[in-house]
Coordinates of all heavy atoms in Angstrom, one line a residue:
A275 N 13.8 0.9 13.4 CA 12.9 -0.2 13.2 C 11.5 0.2 13.5 O 11.2 1.2 14.3 CB 13.3 -1.4 14.1
P276 N 10.5 -0.4 12.9 CA 9.1 -0.1 13.2 C 8.8 -0.5 14.6 O 9.5 -1.4 15.2 CB 8.3 -1.0 12.2 CG 9.3 -2.1 11.8 CD 10.6 -1.5 11.8
Y277 N 7.8 0.2 15.2 CA 7.4 -0.2 16.5 C 5.9 -0.2 16.6 O 5.2 0.3 15.7 CB 7.9 0.8 17.6 CG 7.7 2.3 17.3 CD1 6.6 2.9 17.7 CD2 8.7 3.0 16.7 CE1 6.4 4.3 17.5 CE2 8.5 4.4 16.4 CZ 7.4 5.0 16.9 OH 7.2 6.3 16.6
S278 N 5.4 -0.9 17.6 CA 3.9 -1.1 17.7 C 3.2 0.1 18.2 O 3.8 1.1 18.7 CB 3.7 -2.3 18.7 OG 3.9 -1.9 20.0
R279 N 1.9 0.0 18.1 CA 1.0 1.1 18.5 C 1.0 1.3 20.0 O 0.8 2.4 20.5 CB -0.4 0.9 18.1 CG -0.6 0.9 16.6 CD -2.0 0.9 16.2 NE -2.7 -0.3 16.5 CZ -4.0 -0.5 16.4 NH1 -4.8 0.5 16.0 NH2 -4.6 -1.6 16.7
S280 N 1.4 0.3 20.8 CA 1.5 0.4 22.3 C 2.7 1.0 22.8 O 2.8 1.4 23.9 CB 1.3 -1.0 22.9 OG 2.3 -1.8 22.5
D281 N 3.8 1.2 21.9 CA 5.1 1.7 22.3 C 5.0 3.3 22.2 O 5.0 3.8 21.1 CB 6.2 1.2 21.4 CG 7.6 1.5 22.0 OD1 7.7 2.4 22.9 OD2 8.5 1.0 21.5
Q282 N 4.9 3.9 23.4 CA 4.8 5.4 23.4 C 6.1 6.1 23.6 O 6.1 7.3 23.7 CB 3.8 5.7 24.5 CG 2.5 5.1 24.4 CD 1.7 5.6 23.2 OE1 1.6 6.8 22.9 NE2 1.2 4.6 22.4
T283 N 7.2 5.4 23.7 CA 8.5 6.0 24.1 C 9.2 6.7 22.9 O 9.9 7.7 23.2 CB 9.4 4.9 24.7 OG1 9.6 3.9 23.8 CG2 8.8 4.4 26.0
P284 N 9.2 6.2 21.7 CA 10.0 6.9 20.6 C 9.6 8.3 20.5 O 8.4 8.7 20.5 CB 9.7 6.1 19.4 CG 9.3 4.7 19.9 CD 8.6 5.0 21.1
E285 N 10.6 9.2 20.2 CA 10.3 10.6 20.0 C 10.1 11.0 18.6 O 9.6 12.1 18.3 CB 11.5 11.4 20.6 CG 11.7 11.3 22.1 CD 12.8 12.2 22.6 OE1 13.6 12.7 21.8 OE2 12.9 12.3 23.9
L286 N 10.4 10.1 17.7 CA 10.2 10.3 16.3 C 9.4 9.1 15.7 O 9.5 8.0 16.2 CB 11.6 10.4 15.5 CG 12.4 11.6 15.7 CD1 13.8 11.5 15.0 CD2 11.7 12.9 15.1
P287 N 8.7 9.4 14.6 CA 8.0 8.3 13.9 C 9.0 7.4 13.3 O 10.2 7.7 13.1 CB 7.1 9.0 12.9 CG 7.1 10.4 13.2 CD 8.4 10.7 14.0
F288 N 8.6 6.2 12.9 CA 9.5 5.3 12.0 C 9.0 5.5 10.6 O 7.9 6.0 10.3 CB 9.5 3.9 12.5 CG 8.2 3.1 12.2 CD1 8.0 2.5 11.0 CD2 7.2 3.0 13.2 CE1 6.8 1.7 10.7 CE2 6.0 2.3 12.9 CZ 5.9 1.7 11.7
F289 N 9.9 5.2 9.6 CA 9.6 5.4 8.2 C 9.4 4.1 7.5 O 10.1 3.1 7.8 CB 10.7 6.2 7.6 CG 10.6 7.7 7.8 CD1 10.8 8.3 9.0 CD2 10.2 8.6 6.7 CE1 10.7 9.7 9.2 CE2 10.1 9.9 6.9 CZ 10.4 10.5 8.1
V290 N 8.5 4.1 6.5 CA 8.5 3.1 5.5 C 8.8 3.7 4.2 O 8.1 4.6 3.7 CB 7.0 2.5 5.4 CG1 7.0 1.4 4.3 CG2 6.6 1.9 6.7
F291 N 10.0 3.3 3.6 CA 10.5 3.9 2.4 C 10.0 3.1 1.2 O 10.3 1.9 1.1 CB 12.0 4.1 2.4 CG 12.5 5.1 3.4 CD1 13.2 4.7 4.5 CD2 12.1 6.4 3.3 CE1 13.7 5.6 5.4 CE2 12.6 7.4 4.2 CZ 13.3 7.0 5.3
S292 N 9.3 3.8 0.3 CA 8.8 3.1 -0.9 C 9.8 3.1 -2.0 O 10.4 4.2 -2.3 CB 7.5 3.7 -1.4 OG 6.5 3.7 -0.3
H293 N 10.0 2.0 -2.7 CA 10.8 1.8 -3.8 C 12.3 1.5 -3.5 O 12.8 0.4 -3.6 CB 10.7 2.9 -4.8 CG 9.3 3.3 -5.2 ND1 8.4 2.3 -5.5 CD2 8.6 4.4 -5.2 CE1 7.2 2.8 -5.8 NE2 7.3 4.1 -5.6
C294 N 13.1 2.5 -3.2 CA 14.5 2.4 -2.8 C 15.3 1.8 -4.0 O 16.5 1.3 -3.8 CB 14.7 1.5 -1.6 SG 14.0 2.2 -0.1
N295 N 14.8 1.9 -5.2 CA 15.6 1.4 -6.4 C 16.8 2.4 -6.6 O 16.7 3.5 -6.4 CB 14.7 1.4 -7.6 CG 13.4 0.8 -7.4 OD1 12.4 1.4 -7.0 ND2 13.3 -0.5 -7.7
G296 N 17.8 1.8 -7.1 CA 19.0 2.6 -7.4 C 20.0 2.7 -6.2 O 21.1 3.2 -6.4
Y297 N 19.6 2.2 -5.1 CA 20.5 2.2 -3.9 C 21.6 1.1 -4.1 O 21.3 0.0 -4.6 CB 19.8 2.0 -2.6 CG 19.0 3.2 -2.1 CD1 18.0 3.1 -1.2 CD2 19.2 4.5 -2.6 CE1 17.3 4.2 -0.8 CE2 18.5 5.6 -2.2 CZ 17.5 5.5 -1.3 OH 16.8 6.5 -0.9
S298 N 22.8 1.5 -3.6 CA 23.9 0.5 -3.7 C 23.7 -0.6 -2.6 O 22.8 -0.5 -1.7 CB 25.2 1.2 -3.4 OG 25.2 1.7 -2.1
D299 N 24.5 -1.6 -2.8 CA 24.4 -2.7 -1.8 C 24.7 -2.2 -0.4 O 24.1 -2.6 0.6 CB 25.5 -3.8 -2.1 CG 25.1 -4.6 -3.4 OD1 24.1 -4.3 -4.0 OD2 25.9 -5.5 -3.7
E300 N 25.7 -1.2 -0.3 CA 26.0 -0.6 1.0 C 24.8 0.2 1.6 O 24.6 0.1 2.8 CB 27.2 0.3 0.8 CG 28.5 -0.5 0.5 CD 28.6 -0.9 -0.9 OE1 27.8 -0.5 -1.8 OE2 29.5 -1.8 -1.2
E301 N 24.2 0.9 0.7 CA 23.0 1.7 1.2 C 21.9 0.7 1.7 O 21.3 1.0 2.7 CB 22.5 2.6 0.1 CG 23.5 3.8 -0.2 CD 23.0 4.6 -1.3 OE1 22.8 4.1 -2.4 OE2 22.7 5.9 -1.1
L302 N 21.6 -0.3 0.9 CA 20.6 -1.2 1.3 C 21.0 -1.9 2.6 O 20.1 -2.2 3.5 CB 20.3 -2.2 0.2 CG 19.7 -1.7 -1.0 CD1 19.6 -2.8 -2.1 CD2 18.3 -1.1 -0.8
S303 N 22.3 -2.2 2.8 CA 22.7 -2.8 4.0 C 22.5 -1.9 5.2 O 22.2 -2.4 6.3 CB 24.2 -3.2 3.9 OG 24.4 -4.2 2.9
V304 N 22.6 -0.6 5.0 CA 22.4 0.3 6.1 C 20.9 0.3 6.5 O 20.6 0.2 7.7 CB 22.8 1.8 5.7 CG1 22.3 2.8 6.7 CG2 24.3 1.9 5.6
L305 N 20.0 0.2 5.5 CA 18.6 0.1 5.8 C 18.3 -1.1 6.6 O 17.5 -1.1 7.5 CB 17.8 0.2 4.5 CG 17.9 1.5 3.7 CD1 17.0 1.4 2.4 CD2 17.4 2.7 4.6
S306 N 18.9 -2.2 6.1 CA 18.7 -3.5 6.8 C 19.2 -3.5 8.2 O 18.5 -3.9 9.2 CB 19.4 -4.6 6.0 OG 19.2 -5.9 6.7
S307 N 20.4 -3.0 8.4 CA 21.1 -3.0 9.8 C 20.4 -2.1 10.7 O 20.4 -2.4 12.0 CB 22.5 -2.6 9.7 OG 22.7 -1.3 9.2
T308 N 19.7 -1.1 10.3 CA 19.0 -0.2 11.2 C 17.5 -0.6 11.4 O 16.8 0.0 12.1 CB 19.0 1.3 10.6 OG1 18.5 1.3 9.2 CG2 20.4 1.9 10.6
G309 N 17.1 -1.7 10.7 CA 15.8 -2.2 10.8 C 14.7 -1.3 10.1 O 13.5 -1.5 10.3
T310 N 15.2 -0.5 9.2 CA 14.2 0.4 8.5 C 13.4 -0.4 7.5 O 13.8 -1.3 6.8 CB 15.1 1.5 7.7 OG1 15.9 2.2 8.6 CG2 14.1 2.5 7.0
S311 N 12.1 0.0 7.3 CA 11.2 -0.7 6.5 C 11.2 -0.2 5.1 O 11.4 1.0 4.8 CB 9.7 -0.5 7.0 OG 9.6 -1.1 8.3
V312 N 11.1 -1.1 4.1 CA 11.2 -0.9 2.7 C 10.0 -1.5 2.0 O 9.6 -2.7 2.3 CB 12.5 -1.5 2.1 CG1 12.4 -1.3 0.6 CG2 13.7 -0.7 2.7
S313 N 9.3 -0.8 1.1 CA 8.2 -1.3 0.3 C 8.6 -1.4 -1.1 O 9.0 -0.4 -1.7 CB 6.9 -0.5 0.5 OG 5.9 -1.0 -0.3
S314 N 8.4 -2.5 -1.8 CA 8.7 -2.7 -3.2 C 7.3 -2.8 -3.9 O 6.4 -3.4 -3.4 CB 9.5 -4.0 -3.5 OG 10.8 -3.8 -3.1
T315 N 7.2 -2.2 -5.1 CA 6.0 -2.2 -5.9 C 6.5 -2.7 -7.3 O 6.7 -1.9 -8.2 CB 5.3 -0.9 -6.0 OG1 6.2 0.1 -6.7 CG2 5.0 -0.3 -4.6
P316 N 6.6 -4.0 -7.5 CA 7.4 -4.6 -8.7 C 6.8 -4.1 -10.0 O 7.6 -3.8 -10.9 CB 7.2 -6.1 -8.5 CG 7.1 -6.2 -7.0 CD 6.3 -5.1 -6.5
E317 N 5.5 -4.1 -10.2 CA 5.0 -3.9 -11.6 C 5.2 -2.4 -12.0 O 5.6 -2.1 -13.1 CB 3.5 -4.3 -11.7 CG 3.4 -5.8 -11.7 CD 2.0 -6.3 -12.1 OE1 1.1 -6.3 -11.3 OE2 1.8 -6.5 -13.3
T318 N 4.8 -1.5 -11.1 CA 5.0 -0.1 -11.5 C 6.5 0.3 -11.6 O 6.9 1.1 -12.5 CB 4.3 0.9 -10.4 OG1 4.9 0.7 -9.1 CG2 2.8 0.7 -10.4
E319 N 7.3 -0.3 -10.7 CA 8.8 0.0 -10.8 C 9.3 -0.5 -12.1 O 10.2 0.2 -12.7 CB 9.5 -0.7 -9.6 CG 9.2 0.0 -8.3 CD 9.6 -0.8 -7.1 OE1 10.3 -1.8 -7.3 OE2 9.3 -0.4 -6.0
S320 N 8.9 -1.6 -12.6 CA 9.4 -2.2 -13.8 C 8.9 -1.4 -15.0 O 9.6 -1.1 -16.0 CB 9.1 -3.7 -14.0 OG 7.7 -3.9 -14.0
Q321 N 7.6 -1.0 -15.0 CA 7.0 -0.3 -16.2 C 7.6 1.1 -16.3 O 7.9 1.6 -17.4 CB 5.5 -0.2 -16.0 CG 4.9 0.8 -17.1 CD 3.4 0.8 -17.1 OE1 2.8 -0.2 -16.8 NE2 2.8 2.0 -17.4
M322 N 7.8 1.7 -15.2 CA 8.2 3.2 -15.2 C 9.7 3.4 -15.2 O 10.1 4.6 -15.0 CB 7.5 3.9 -14.0 CG 6.0 3.9 -14.1 SD 5.3 4.9 -12.8 CE 3.6 5.0 -13.4
G323 N 10.5 2.4 -15.3 CA 11.9 2.6 -15.4 C 12.6 2.9 -14.1 O 13.7 3.4 -14.1
I324 N 11.9 2.6 -13.0 CA 12.5 2.9 -11.7 C 13.5 1.9 -11.3 O 14.5 2.2 -10.6 CB 11.4 3.0 -10.6 CG1 10.3 4.1 -11.0 CG2 11.9 3.3 -9.2 CD1 9.1 4.1 -10.1
G325 N 13.4 0.7 -11.8 CA 14.4 -0.4 -11.6 C 13.8 -1.7 -11.1 O 12.6 -1.8 -10.8
Y326 N 14.7 -2.7 -10.9 CA 14.3 -3.9 -10.4 C 13.9 -3.7 -8.9 O 14.5 -3.0 -8.2 CB 15.4 -5.0 -10.4 CG 15.6 -5.6 -11.8 CD1 16.7 -5.3 -12.6 CD2 14.7 -6.5 -12.3 CE1 16.9 -5.8 -13.8 CE2 14.9 -7.1 -13.5 CZ 15.9 -6.8 -14.3 OH 16.1 -7.4 -15.5
P327 N 12.8 -4.4 -8.4 CA 12.4 -4.3 -7.0 C 13.5 -4.9 -6.1 O 14.2 -5.8 -6.5 CB 11.1 -5.2 -7.0 CG 11.3 -6.2 -8.1 CD 12.0 -5.4 -9.2
V328 N 13.6 -4.3 -4.9 CA 14.7 -4.6 -4.0 C 14.3 -5.5 -2.8 O 15.2 -5.9 -2.0 CB 15.4 -3.4 -3.4 CG1 15.9 -2.5 -4.6 CG2 14.4 -2.6 -2.5
A329 N 13.0 -5.9 -2.7 CA 12.6 -6.6 -1.5 C 13.3 -7.9 -1.3 O 13.5 -8.3 -0.1 CB 11.1 -6.8 -1.6
L330 N 13.8 -8.6 -2.3 CA 14.5 -9.8 -2.2 C 16.0 -9.7 -2.4 O 16.7 -10.6 -2.5 CB 14.0 -10.9 -3.2 CG 12.6 -11.5 -2.8 CD1 12.1 -12.3 -4.0 CD2 12.6 -12.3 -1.5
H331 N 16.5 -8.4 -2.4 CA 17.9 -8.2 -2.7 C 18.7 -8.8 -1.5 O 18.3 -8.7 -0.4 CB 18.1 -6.6 -2.7 CG 19.5 -6.3 -3.2 ND1 20.6 -6.4 -2.4 CD2 19.9 -5.7 -4.3 CE1 21.7 -6.0 -3.1 NE2 21.3 -5.6 -4.3
P332 N 19.9 -9.4 -1.9 CA 20.7 -10.1 -0.8 C 21.1 -9.2 0.3 O 21.2 -9.6 1.5 CB 21.9 -10.6 -1.6 CG 21.4 -10.7 -3.0 CD 20.4 -9.7 -3.2
A333 N 21.2 -7.9 0.0 CA 21.6 -6.9 1.1 C 20.5 -6.8 2.1 O 20.8 -6.4 3.3 CB 22.0 -5.6 0.5
L334 N 19.3 -7.0 1.7 CA 18.2 -6.9 2.7 C 17.7 -8.3 3.2 O 16.8 -8.3 4.1 CB 17.0 -6.3 1.9 CG 17.1 -4.8 1.5 CD1 15.9 -4.4 0.7 CD2 17.4 -3.9 2.6
N335 N 18.4 -9.3 2.8 CA 18.0 -10.7 3.2 C 19.2 -11.5 3.4 O 19.6 -12.4 2.6 CB 17.1 -11.3 2.1 CG 15.8 -10.6 1.9 OD1 14.8 -10.9 2.5 ND2 15.8 -9.6 0.9
T336 N 19.9 -11.2 4.5 CA 21.1 -12.0 4.9 C 20.8 -13.1 5.8 O 19.7 -13.1 6.5 CB 22.2 -11.1 5.5 OG1 21.6 -10.6 6.8 CG2 22.4 -9.9 4.7
P337 N 21.6 -14.1 5.9 CA 21.4 -15.2 6.9 C 21.2 -14.7 8.3 O 20.5 -15.2 9.1 CB 22.6 -16.1 6.7 CG 23.1 -15.9 5.3 CD 22.8 -14.4 5.1
A338 N 22.0 -13.6 8.6 CA 21.9 -13.1 10.0 C 20.7 -12.2 10.2 O 20.2 -12.1 11.4 CB 23.2 -12.3 10.3
R339 N 20.2 -11.6 9.2 CA 19.1 -10.6 9.4 C 18.3 -10.4 8.1 O 18.8 -10.2 7.0 CB 19.7 -9.2 9.8 CG 18.7 -8.2 10.1 CD 19.3 -6.8 10.4 NE 18.3 -5.9 10.8 CZ 18.1 -5.6 12.1 NH1 18.8 -6.2 13.0 NH2 17.2 -4.8 12.5
S340 N 17.0 -10.5 8.3 CA 16.1 -10.2 7.2 C 15.5 -8.8 7.4 O 15.0 -8.6 8.5 CB 15.0 -11.2 7.1 OG 15.5 -12.5 6.6
A341 N 15.6 -8.0 6.5 CA 15.1 -6.6 6.6 C 13.5 -6.6 6.8 O 12.8 -7.6 6.4 CB 15.5 -5.8 5.4
H342 N 13.0 -5.5 7.2 CA 11.6 -5.3 7.2 C 11.1 -4.8 5.9 O 11.3 -3.7 5.5 CB 11.2 -4.2 8.3 CG 11.6 -4.7 9.7 ND1 12.5 -4.1 10.5 CD2 11.1 -5.7 10.4 CE1 12.6 -4.7 11.6 NE2 11.8 -5.7 11.6
V343 N 10.6 -5.7 5.1 CA 10.2 -5.4 3.7 C 8.7 -5.8 3.5 O 8.2 -6.7 4.2 CB 11.0 -6.2 2.7 CG1 12.5 -5.7 2.7 CG2 11.0 -7.7 2.9
G344 N 8.1 -5.1 2.6 CA 6.7 -5.3 2.2 C 6.5 -5.1 0.7 O 7.4 -4.7 0.0
L345 N 5.3 -5.4 0.3 CA 4.9 -5.3 -1.1 C 3.8 -4.3 -1.2 O 2.9 -4.1 -0.3 CB 4.4 -6.6 -1.7 CG 5.5 -7.6 -2.1 CD1 4.8 -9.0 -2.3 CD2 6.2 -7.1 -3.3
G346 N 3.8 -3.5 -2.3 CA 2.7 -2.5 -2.5 C 2.2 -2.5 -3.9 O 2.9 -3.0 -4.9

Side-chain angles (χ1 to χ4, degrees):
Y277 51 87
S278 70
R279 294 190 294 171
S280 62
D281 190 347
Q282 302 297 308
T283 57
E285 296 182 350
L286 287 173
F288 71 89
F289 276 72
V290 177
F291 291 116
S292 300
H293 308 312
C294 297
N295 311 87
Y297 284 162
S298 66
D299 292 3
E300 292 75 17
E301 288 177 299
L302 292 175
S303 294
V304 170
L305 296 180
S306 179
S307 64
T308 55
T310 303
S311 296
V312 172
S313 176
S314 287
T315 64
E317 288 194 273
T318 58
E319 289 168 8
S320 60
Q321 172 174 324
M322 293 186 168
I324 301 173
Y326 281 107
V328 302
L330 287 173
H331 193 286
L334 294 176
N335 298 271
T336 66
R339 183 187 187 94
S340 292
H342 296 115
V343 294
L345 281 166

